[in-house]
Each structure stands twice: as structure tokens, then as C-alpha cells.
Amino acid sequence: MGDRRTLLKCAVQAGVTGLAAACSPIETVRSLVETDDREHITVLADASLAPTVPALKADFEQANPHVALSVSLQSSGSIMKSILRGKDFDAILLGGDTFGVPIVEAGRIKIGTMRPIASNWLVIATPLDSPLEIKTVRDLFYEDAKRIGIADWEESALGIYSQQALDNLGLWESLRSRLARSKDERELLERLLGGKVDAALLYSSSVSAAEENVRVQAPVPEQSHRPIIYYVGIARETKYPITLSQFSRYLISPWGQRHFEAAGYRMLNLR
């Protein structure tokens, strides 16, 4: 009986070698990778889009099962520098055109694919339990607001808009010694929540995402800075131009726009 079982086992192993090999964990992973024929698309996105990226990604992938989006959130300045150094990518989502122009001029973006997808606006925010009462931006002169958070104006689109606003309102020089610079919006929000700054200039969408812990004290006059507009752009050398054209159209479609709106961004008249 034992010999028969041994012979049967050998026959199975010899006759179904493919199945036996597939049972190896390493071979299983290798097989899955080799048979994954999805389009793996790399999107470099401004960090301030964090509140809406998961919903956009899930929605687009569900509607397009052949697509796998990999979204990397960074400051727009970091995105620009990495691309100019030769980083591979398929699409970008930038907060403003300041960092987009050099990428276009370097020939990394397909001509005619940069288009606006949403907008935002600046506010002065504090922790929810802050005793500060800031009715206008000029109230930042309050001595109690000793540390005012601002995003890095050399790295972040948010920082550029914030600097423009303070400068045009005649506050830049008088407040500069009290400004605490963070590399991007995510770090700035963390510092605000951690009590490392008393108030901060943030996008409205960031406050909406953290509304249980942060509150808006005052809006920043929109005429004090350039319009805050997000753009999508498609890489000139992408292998997936058709899919990315669909992705670009999706972002301004009612299905894409609902996710922006739900996350606290302002819609543009994109039709």
C-alpha cells in the first residue's frame, strides 16, 4: 500500500510539474506579475490634493479595470525638480503653473495637455481650541500669534500664494520674523495641529479635511494673490496617451468634479 502511494505521489509530481511549480510562493508572485497586463500609470500630484486623491483613484480604476494608478504626493516644487532631473512619470497634477512652466519648457509635457481641473482659496486657520480671534489677515499683528505658519515659497505653490498675499497686503516685511516655514501643506498642517505654530495660511480644502481639529479664522482676500488653479498635464513620453487623455477628461467630468467638491475644492467653469 505504501509503495502504491509513493508511486502515485511521484506520478502526480512528474505529470503536473507546472502545478507543482505554481505552488511555490516565489513562482506564484512571479506568475502574477508576468500576467498582470494592466496599464501601470505614475501620477505625480501636489501634496495639497491628498484629501481627494484616494476617491479619484478608486473611482477611475473601478471604471477602468485595465488601469492601475500609482499616485505620489509631493510639493509642486519637488515634482518640478525631480522631473527636470529625469524622473519618469505619466501625468502631473500641479497646484498652479509656476512649477509647471519649466516642465513644459523642458519638453517633458505633451503640448496642449495642460488644463485646469479645480481651484482653491486661502484662509487663516488655527487649532480648534485656540483663543485667538482673527477677523482679517491684518489681525495677525496680534502679539498672541507669535508663530505664523507658512509653506515654503521656494518649494510649494501654497507658499507662493501665501507670500504674494502677505506682500500685496503690505504685511510681508512686518511679519517675516514671525513666519515659521514648512516644506509643504501637509507638514504645515501637522505643525498647526501639534501646537508648533499659533496660526497658519492654508488652503480651504485642508481645513475641510481636518475640520474636527482646525477652524477657519478669516479668509485671505483673493485679489491679493494669483488665482489658485490646479492643472493636469500628460507626459510627452508616456506609453499610455489614450488612457491619460481619458483620465484628464474624467477629472473635469461630473464624476471627477464631485470628488473635488466633496473634499472642499472650488470648481471652475470648465465646460
Side-chain angles (χ1 to χ4, degrees):
M1 185 69 174
D3 291 340
R4 291 177 61 187
R5 289 180 177 172
T6 300
L7 289 172
L8 179 59
K9 181 177 181 181
C10 290
V12 170
Q13 290 178 338
V16 199
T17 53
L19 179 59
C23 292
S24 164
I26 294 177
E27 291 300 324
T28 299
V29 172
R30 183 178 300 156
S31 177
L32 288 173
V33 171
E34 290 175 352
T35 59
D36 184 0
D37 58 356
R38 292 179 299 170
E39 297 179 358
H40 290 266
I41 292 175
T42 298
V43 180
L44 306 180
D46 188 284
S48 66
L49 289 169
T52 193
V53 158
L56 291 170
K57 170 179 161 63
D59 198 18
F60 188 73
E61 288 180 337
Q62 183 177 8
N64 300 273
H66 66 288
V67 175
L69 291 178
S70 175
V71 184
S72 175
L73 293 166
Q74 309 166 41
S75 69
S76 287
S78 295
I79 292 173
M80 177 195 72
K81 291 177 182 178
S82 65
I83 290 176
L84 294 183
R85 287 194 296 263
K87 183 177 179 63
D88 291 331
F89 71 104
D90 295 298
I92 54 175
L93 301 177
L94 294 181
D97 58 4
T98 299
F99 297 110
V101 170
I103 301 174
V104 173
E105 292 178 342
R108 299 299 308 276
I109 295 294
K110 186 178 180 180
I111 299 299
T113 66
M114 287 288 286
R115 65 194 307 178
I117 55 175
S119 182
N120 219 326
W121 64 101
L122 289 180
V123 297
I124 304 297
T126 64
L128 194 62
D129 58 356
S130 172
L132 294 177
E133 291 294 337
I134 301 172
K135 302 298 185 183
T136 70
V137 180
R138 297 187 185 281
D139 289 339
L140 288 174
F141 278 119
Y142 282 161
E143 289 301 319
D144 289 340
K146 295 181 174 65
R147 297 161 299 175
I148 303 167
I150 186 173
D152 191 331
W153 48 90
E154 296 178 350
E155 290 284 340
S156 166
L158 171 61
I160 291 176
Y161 295 125
S162 300
Q163 183 189 42
Q164 289 174 352
L166 293 179
D167 191 30
N168 289 330
L169 292 170
L171 300 171
W172 178 253
E173 291 302 328
S174 58
L175 292 178
R176 191 163 185 173
S177 63
R178 293 157 59 191
L179 297 178
R181 184 157 53 168
S182 297
K183 66 177 182 179
D184 58 30
E185 186 173 23
R186 288 185 297 180
E187 181 179 281
L188 178 54
L189 184 58
E190 289 174 2
R191 297 187 71 184
L192 181 66
L193 293 173
K196 295 181 179 179
V197 295
D198 302 307
L201 282 82
L202 287 168
Y203 287 134
S204 175
S205 57
S206 292
V207 178
S208 296
E211 60 183 358
E212 293 182 359
N213 301 300
V214 178
R215 67 183 172 115
V216 172
Q217 290 275 358
V220 175
E222 293 189 56
Q223 66 272 20
S224 66
H225 57 80
R226 294 182 63 192
I228 302 172
I229 301 175
Y230 291 91
Y231 293 87
V232 61
I234 299 173
R236 183 170 61 87
E237 299 177 354
T238 183
K239 296 185 293 184
Y240 311 111
I242 295 177
T243 298
L244 285 168
S245 292
Q246 294 172 344
F247 179 62
S248 179
R249 290 195 297 271
Y250 160 73
L251 293 174
I252 64 171
S253 72
W255 297 275
Q257 290 287 290
R258 66 179 179 178
H259 294 305
F260 283 110
E261 187 173 17
Y265 299 84
R266 177 180 294 168
M267 302 301 98
L268 299 174
N269 182 13
L270 299 169
R271 301 296 181 268

